[in-house]
Amino acid sequence: MYNINKVRGDFPILSREVYKRPLVYLDNAATTQKPLCVLDAMREEYLNVNANVHRGVHYLSQQATDLHEAARETVRSFINANKTEEIVFTRGTTEAINLVASSFCQSQMKEGDEVLVTDMEHHSNIVPWQLQAMQRGIVVRHLPITDDGRLACCDSIATYLTEKTKLLSIAHVSNVLGTINPVKDIIRMAHERGIPVLVDGAQSAPHMKIDVQDLDCDFFAFSGHKMYGPTGIGVLYGKEEWLDRLPPYQGGGEMIDKVTWEHTTFERLPFKFEAGTPDYIATHGLATAINYLLSVGLDSVEAHETELTRYCMEQLQTIEGIKIYGPKAPHDAVVSFNVGNIHHLDIGTLLDRLGIAVRTGHHCAQPLMDRLGISGTVRASFALYNTKEEVDALVAGLRRVVQMF
């Protein structure tokens, strides 16, 4: 039984007031709030186990190293990777994609080769490839979407995969539209043509079970702060065969085997990609967040958020002039909309005065906004602690805003 009161009690910030009104936090696609267990775990490590990892023979360093590598195993199990060597800690999804973009394009691509993305990508899955296009002369192509926010080419993706396509990089879930892309089928079609696939899992990992072996993706990236963990920590999963082939992304301490003036050899996986002191406190926080999510139950979380999203879309339809973007189903825990000719920024500002936190703007997806013919949207996004009462507050707040225009 999903005990929403127990869950909400784990997040003290949800009980605070904003402008003398109860906080209604609906900006979870940007970042989630953190449960007490995550904050306590990180504070405990700073107080009692703070030492650099992998370097010291002393007791504290060994303890910190054990916690750090235990976190890697927690992540491995969470996404069902084959080995811990396939789990690279990064600062987040953005750095994970930049790592692949830099190392893959450097070693696997030449001028004129193509990377394929989609019209619904976050800037983090566009700009790193564009930088490589400027530096190395590769070409960035994009798959089109339908007016209701689905990939237009799922049945005919082969027409977009050519002999020049060296990598497909795709969002599992759109951070604007809530579209859940059929990535398993897309990966299969790409692999039939020998093309590896990177999946941006920033918006899927917090909401559904992820099995990278079942998906058969070559790379999978996600962030801790969107799944109840700390900021500044993320994960790149890569198949061992690919990580072995790619050169290091950064150089420095930790990622080396031997350094001389004439030559440097690199550490084994995954340390080859983890230059410098890792954020070992944050990795422990991430592992604690994952264990918290598992304790609530991913099936329960997914069912709760699916029902909440359905209810929100249903209730928003009662507001005159509303336009909801994205498919009706399958639809993840994100609802983006506009109302009549009211600017999205005005809606967000006025909702804020009612204690309701939503996101407004282009959501780091300006090419998608151009495709939809708009400058931005209002976005409500849900987490395991949100309630139907909060959806009702959003709808009531929107009615008040509409009445002002």
Side-chain angles (χ1 to χ4, degrees):
M1 185 69 179
Y2 198 85
N3 188 339
I4 189 65
N5 291 325
K6 166 64 171 63
V7 168
R8 287 181 66 84
D10 294 330
F11 297 83
I13 197 170
L14 299 178
S15 63
R16 71 161 296 184
E17 292 187 343
V18 176
Y19 303 122
K20 299 183 179 180
R21 297 176 183 273
L23 171 65
V24 176
Y25 186 78
L26 301 177
D27 192 20
N28 297 285
T31 197
T32 53
Q33 300 302 332
K34 321 305 175 192
L36 272 174
C37 62
V38 170
L39 306 178
D40 289 345
M42 295 174 69
R43 183 175 186 271
E44 176 69 16
E45 186 168 1
Y46 269 126
L47 287 174
N48 295 300
V49 197
N50 183 40
N52 210 330
V53 297
H54 298 142
R55 303 182 186 186
V57 296
H58 59 81
Y59 180 73
L60 286 184
S61 179
Q62 293 298 314
Q63 276 195 308
T65 300
D66 289 346
L67 286 173
H68 182 63
E69 292 307 319
R72 200 185 304 274
E73 168 58 24
T74 297
V75 172
R76 184 212 63 78
S77 176
F78 180 65
I79 62 173
N80 194 34
N82 187 43
K83 300 179 177 180
T84 54
E85 286 84 354
E86 297 177 321
I87 304 300
V88 177
F89 286 123
T90 66
R91 291 181 299 164
T93 306
T94 298
E95 185 176 58
I97 296 174
N98 272 274
L99 188 162
V100 176
S102 177
S103 295
F104 190 93
C105 293
Q106 175 186 339
S107 62
Q108 307 297 316
M109 298 183 70
K110 62 182 184 300
E111 185 174 351
D113 285 345
E114 297 175 354
V115 170
L116 189 60
V117 296
T118 80
D119 275 349
M120 66 178 74
E121 300 305 320
H122 189 281
H123 292 165
S124 293
N125 200 24
I126 298 174
V127 179
W129 307 111
Q130 290 179 330
L131 291 174
Q132 293 302 314
M134 289 187 286
Q135 295 169 13
R136 305 184 188 280
I138 70 165
V139 178
V140 183
R141 299 180 63 222
H142 49 100
L143 296 169
I145 62 171
T146 61
D147 290 341
D148 68 346
R150 295 175 294 106
L151 284 177
C153 55
C154 281
D155 296 330
S156 60
I157 194 171
T159 61
Y160 293 88
L161 299 172
T162 73
E163 61 182 16
K164 291 186 176 181
T165 309
K166 302 305 179 184
L167 183 76
L168 171 61
S169 190
I170 184 172
H172 198 171
V173 172
S174 167
N175 72 309
V176 177
L177 304 170
T179 307
I180 304 174
N181 286 316
V183 293
K184 185 175 180 178
D185 292 337
I186 292 170
I187 292 165
R188 175 182 52 78
M189 287 185 277
H191 283 178
E192 287 172 353
R193 292 154 182 84
I195 299 168
V197 181
L198 183 155
V199 177
D200 174 355
Q203 298 295 337
S204 61
H207 304 292
M208 61 185 72
K209 287 183 177 178
I210 301 297
D211 186 333
V212 293
Q213 293 191 72
D214 181 60
L215 291 176
D216 198 26
C217 55
D218 301 278
F219 305 98
F220 189 95
F222 64 98
S223 299
H225 74 99
K226 295 183 188 291
M227 52 187 299
Y228 316 102
T231 58
I233 191 68
V235 172
L236 172 67
Y237 157 80
K239 286 182 178 178
E240 184 178 27
E241 61 192 86
W242 274 114
L243 294 181
D244 271 335
R245 292 166 66 181
L246 300 185
Y249 173 52
Q250 296 176 320
E254 190 73 14
M255 49 76 69
I256 56 90
D257 174 42
K258 182 178 178 61
V259 177
T260 68
W261 287 119
E262 293 75 29
H263 185 64
T264 294
T265 55
F266 304 115
E267 256 284 20
R268 66 190 188 280
L269 295 177
F271 308 114
K272 179 174 78 170
F273 295 103
E274 294 181 352
T277 297
D279 193 341
Y280 51 87
I281 304 294
T283 60
H284 182 44
L286 172 60
T288 305
I290 288 172
N291 287 329
Y292 176 81
L293 192 53
L294 293 173
S295 72
V296 176
L298 274 171
D299 289 337
S300 297
V301 169
E302 185 173 1
H304 173 73
E305 293 174 343
T306 298
E307 172 58 21
L308 207 57
T309 304
R310 183 203 62 79
Y311 180 72
C312 180
M313 295 175 73
E314 180 182 87
Q315 294 304 305
L316 286 177
Q317 293 284 5
T318 66
I319 297 175
E320 185 177 355
I322 199 156
K323 167 68 174 176
I324 299 176
Y325 301 92
K328 291 183 179 179
H331 198 108
D332 200 38
V334 171
V335 182
S336 289
F337 59 90
N338 281 313
V339 184
N341 293 321
I342 308 173
H343 198 279
H344 48 84
L345 179 59
D346 292 334
I347 294 175
T349 300
L350 292 169
L351 286 175
D352 175 60
R353 301 301 298 184
L354 299 174
I356 302 167
V358 294
R359 183 75 176 268
T360 65
H362 54 67
H363 315 297
C364 295
Q366 286 178 302
L368 175 58
M369 297 297 119
D370 291 341
R371 167 63 181 85
L372 298 173
I374 55 179
S375 63
T377 72
V378 182
R379 185 184 70 185
S381 50
F382 305 108
L384 55 81
Y385 42 65
N386 290 123
T387 66
K388 286 186 175 180
E389 289 75 18
E390 290 180 314
V391 173
D392 292 338
L394 169 65
V395 174
L398 280 171
R399 293 191 189 283
R400 289 186 61 179
V401 170
V402 171
Q403 289 172 357
M404 299 174 65
F405 286 87

